[in-house]
Amino acid sequence: MAEAMGLRERKKQQTAMRIYRAAVALFAEHGFDEVSVQQIADAAEVSKMTVFNYFGSKEDLVFRPMEEHFGDAARAVRERGPGESAVDAVRRQFLELVETRDPSVGLHGEPFTRQVRRIVVETPVLMERAFVAAQKGTRELAAILAEETGDMMLATVAAAMLSAARNALIEENHRRLDSGETPDAVAADAAERAHEAFALVEKGLKGYGVRA
């Protein structure tokens, strides 16, 4: 039974990835707004209903695989250990993602990943959703800090600063890759840039949000 369930799960994952890659290829070639769900279904060799079963909407075809990362900073702060400040936690997590060259921080040179970002940047409705998702992540971070500190206003300021630092670092990585630098060149000093960015935040947040 377990083996059968494992096989079904793998097949589901393979189908989802086939739909996702077919959608991205069509969006990249024709533009997000010019591609229908039926065209995606045909390219992936599944039914239109199957596409909706795996991805709730056409926008989800782009965002579903990446949306969880908008809550990365909140997750880092929620899971931090005793004695670790909010800045320390977010910095530590970001450096771990840099170390593994995670696509979520703009350090993966694989063409498909960069293609997805280009689709988002070139499509207003997707950029709007990215903004909303990012704001949701910042509010989630603020709520965690406010619950611990009892001050929602300062928690909101702290969350905004931490989110801004992460976003600036990610955008710099993307900008450098877009300008023609190699992933190796960008990754070589990405950690140093992260230390500089979070040090700047820490000067204003030093001692804030240290878990008791």
Side-chain angles (χ1 to χ4, degrees):
M1 177 68 71
E3 184 177 344
M5 289 183 65
L7 179 60
R8 284 198 296 271
E9 187 60 33
R10 286 196 299 274
K11 286 185 175 179
K12 286 176 63 177
Q13 291 175 353
Q14 290 168 357
T15 299
M17 181 55 68
R18 188 167 72 250
I19 295 170
Y20 177 48
R21 287 190 171 273
V24 169
L26 287 169
F27 294 153
E29 182 177 358
H30 303 290
F32 179 83
D33 294 326
E34 304 305 316
V35 176
S36 70
V37 174
Q38 185 61 60
Q39 288 174 305
I40 296 167
D42 292 342
E45 298 182 336
V46 298
S47 69
K48 184 176 178 179
M49 184 58 66
T50 297
V51 175
F52 284 122
N53 285 340
Y54 280 86
F55 300 90
S57 68
K58 197 168 81 164
E59 291 178 14
D60 284 340
L61 280 159
V62 177
F63 273 95
R64 182 70 59 77
M66 69 174 75
E67 206 147 31
E68 64 180 272
H69 290 293
F70 288 106
D72 278 350
R75 189 158 40 252
V77 170
R78 184 188 302 112
E79 297 172 358
R80 75 196 189 284
E84 188 174 32
S85 72
V87 179
D88 288 337
V90 176
R91 174 170 46 213
R92 172 180 50 75
Q93 181 200 62
F94 193 88
L95 290 171
E96 290 170 355
L97 294 171
V98 167
E99 179 69 23
T100 59
R101 297 197 186 185
D102 195 282
S104 68
V105 294
L107 280 177
H108 199 295
E110 201 269 320
F112 180 81
T113 302
R114 302 197 54 68
Q115 198 173 49
V116 173
R117 180 178 184 272
R118 194 155 48 245
I119 291 166
V120 173
V121 170
E122 294 175 353
T123 309
V125 67
L126 296 180
M127 282 294 289
E128 181 178 353
R129 177 158 172 174
F131 175 78
V132 170
Q135 289 296 103
K136 180 181 178 182
T138 301
R139 288 196 301 272
E140 182 183 358
L141 174 55
I144 294 168
L145 292 170
E147 184 178 352
E148 294 186 10
T149 65
D151 191 325
M152 188 64 194
M153 186 275 288
L154 289 181
T156 301
V157 172
M161 292 174 69
L162 288 166
S163 297
R166 286 186 92 260
N167 292 339
L169 288 164
I170 293 168
E171 283 304 308
E172 175 165 287
N173 292 338
H174 282 301
R175 178 187 59 76
R176 291 177 62 184
L177 287 173
D178 289 343
S179 70
E181 292 190 56
T182 66
D184 287 341
V186 177
D189 59 1
E192 180 182 353
R193 296 295 287 163
H195 279 296
E196 292 172 345
F198 287 112
L200 189 62
V201 174
E202 195 168 31
K203 290 177 182 178
L205 295 180
K206 187 174 179 61
Y208 175 81
V210 177
R211 177 159 287 180

